[in-house]
Amino acid sequence: MTDMDRSDLLTAIRSAVAASPNANTAMKQVVQLLKDAVPHYSWVGIYLIDGDELVLGPFLGKPSPHTRIPLGRGICGAAATEKATIIVDDVNADPRYLACSIETKSEIVVPIMNGSEVLGEIDIDSDQPAAFGQADRELLEHVAPLLAEALSDG
Ligand code: SME
């Protein structure tokens, strides 16, 4: 993805979130825009914190068996606990990985934060190994605060 594509995508996401009447619509729009715009995003979903678990919200891609993930488990749980983005180049080499699809090779998880509180996270899988780099991190770390705002507004 070029820098120009990425800034266009971020602009489109910003507009869609601003025009969304509620957080659920905002999350669905973000998932759709990301999935459609970036070919190496094979599975795009948003998990939300519910007590000490992450609960799967809107997603596009194959249905995941992991609709509820305890905070201590998976790459998703690790990102929420560490409150930091995690990129895994080879999911099969990471003992934390919870498999969603046998085609998945790499993953990025970006926490959605409100101050120091984790509200949820953006989780993206790719069928390509080492698919996620600095451009993906920067894009998604700009998208996460937009979702935080939508979720905090109700
Ligand atoms: N791979 C994630 C689980 C979610 S599925 O990828 C949709 C993890 O290890 O936490």
Side-chain angles (χ1 to χ4, degrees):
M1 195 171 23
T2 65
D3 283 351
M4 185 47 85
D5 292 339
R6 197 173 66 222
S7 97
D8 285 351
L9 177 55
L10 189 56
T11 301
I13 288 174
R14 202 171 267 128
S15 305
V17 170
S20 294
N22 54 51
N24 199 42
T25 307
M27 290 190 290
K28 283 186 180 163
Q29 296 268 336
V30 167
V31 166
Q32 186 83 58
L33 284 161
L34 289 171
K35 179 81 168 65
D36 288 351
V38 190
H40 66 266
Y41 292 1
S42 309
W43 188 96
V44 179
I46 294 173
Y47 283 89
L48 296 176
I49 292 276
D50 179 18
D52 55 4
E53 289 185 321
L54 289 155
V55 180
L56 183 57
F59 73 94
L60 285 170
K62 290 188 187 163
S64 170
H66 303 293
T67 55
R68 296 188 84 92
I69 301 176
L71 286 180
R73 298 204 56 217
I75 295 161
C76 288
T81 306
E82 293 171 21
K83 302 184 179 189
T85 298
I86 297 181
I87 292 175
V88 178
D89 288 342
D90 176 3
V91 290
N92 293 309
D94 192 317
R96 299 169 298 183
Y97 176 63
L98 298 171
C100 171
S101 148
I102 52 161
E103 279 107 49
T104 299
K105 302 289 190 303
S106 56
E107 179 163 6
I108 184 169
V109 184
V110 178
I112 300 167
M113 307 286 300
N114 182 16
S116 61
E117 183 195 2
V118 182
L119 303 179
E121 54 195 30
I122 304 166
D123 178 20
I124 303 183
D125 291 346
S126 181
D127 295 351
Q128 297 173 28
F132 302 104
Q134 191 59 23
D136 303 284
R137 175 194 286 270
E138 280 175 18
L139 169 68
L140 298 168
E141 289 182 352
H142 279 92
V143 173
L146 302 174
L147 289 170
E149 205 175 319
L151 288 163
S152 304
D153 286 352

